[in-house]
Amino acid sequence: NAGVTQTPKFQVLKTGQSMTLQCAQDMNHEYMSWYRQDPGMGLRLIHYSVGAGITDQGEVPNGYNVSRSTTEDFPLRLLSAAPSQTSVYFCASSPFGTGGGYTFGSGTRLTVV
Amino acid sequence: SQQGEEDPQALSIQEGENATMNCSYKTSINNLQWYRQNSGRGLVHLILIRSNEREKHSGRLRVTLDTSKKSSSLLITASRAADTASYFCATDIGTGANSKLTFGKGITLSVRP
């Protein structure tokens, strides 16, 4: 089915470990973004991309890196995991940037111990 | 601080009743969007209203936008138990490639059978 695929669905990391959250979409959307969702905080934008080769920071970018080498993929890298990064991470894409509705992945639940 | 703030934080109604949810925001917007999130799932786009529009309908959904008051409301008519979910408003702010979609903290809607 067409959509946004996130892997893994669940992950436990130890403090200081690094990992990459994967996000892929097959809808040829130019715009992709990463959000984190914490209880009582809503969704906060981490990084976003308006097309291959172009990325920019959102509201809470510290501790995260992104790259966009293809239209389909937008991985999120945690450089050195901290307990404050325990959260649910969502990837989203849109054909029209913020001018259209986003399609969200099902999320990655990350716990850092 | 949050760009969009939903009200109330939680709403419990009987099946068949109408549900009204409100969103207020602080700065000028390009558009405002409403999303639904079922427990443990990603967000689903419901409806988008542009800054030059005052009202839009989609099935049982009606959204209004008052830019002078910087507020929007989402009305779900004839609610069903399946409407039980969290609802988020999201505001599109900024220009061009710097546009961002910022989310509120959400409203928890419970529809009792």
Side-chain angles (χ1 to χ4, degrees), chain A residues 4 7 18 33-34 41 47 55 60 67 69-70 80 85 87 96 98:
Chain A
V4 177
T7 56
S18 62
S33 56
W34 277 101
M41 297 291 291
H47 285 284
T55 63
V60 287
S67 60
S69 57
T70 66
S80 177
Q85 294 179 304
S87 188
F96 306 114
T98 53

Side-chain angles (χ1 to χ4, degrees), chain B residues 15-36:
Chain B
E15 203 167 26
E17 294 180 337
N18 296 340
T20 299
M21 291 169 271
N22 303 300
C23 173
S24 59
Y25 56 91
K26 296 181 173 69
T27 63
S28 296
I29 61 172
N30 302 311
N31 65 68
L32 186 145
Q33 305 178 27
W34 284 92
Y35 288 80
R36 184 188 74 232

Side-chain angles (χ1 to χ4, degrees), chain A residues 32-45:
Chain A
M32 297 184 74
S33 56
W34 277 101
Y35 288 86
R36 59 177 288 173
Q37 184 177 31
D38 302 291
M41 297 291 291
L43 279 80
R44 292 182 290 170
L45 181 64

Side-chain angles (χ1 to χ4, degrees), chain A residues 35 37 40 98-99 102 104, chain B residues 31 33 35 37 92 99 101 105:
Chain A
Y35 288 86
Q37 184 177 31
T98 53
Y102 283 14
F104 277 82
Chain B
N31 65 68
Q33 305 178 27
Y35 288 80
Q37 183 180 35
D92 173 13
S99 294
L101 199 63
K105 296 180 182 180

Side-chain angles (χ1 to χ4, degrees), chain A residues 85-96:
Chain A
Q85 294 179 304
T86 293
S87 188
V88 181
Y89 292 84
F90 288 100
C91 178
S93 73
S94 168
F96 306 114

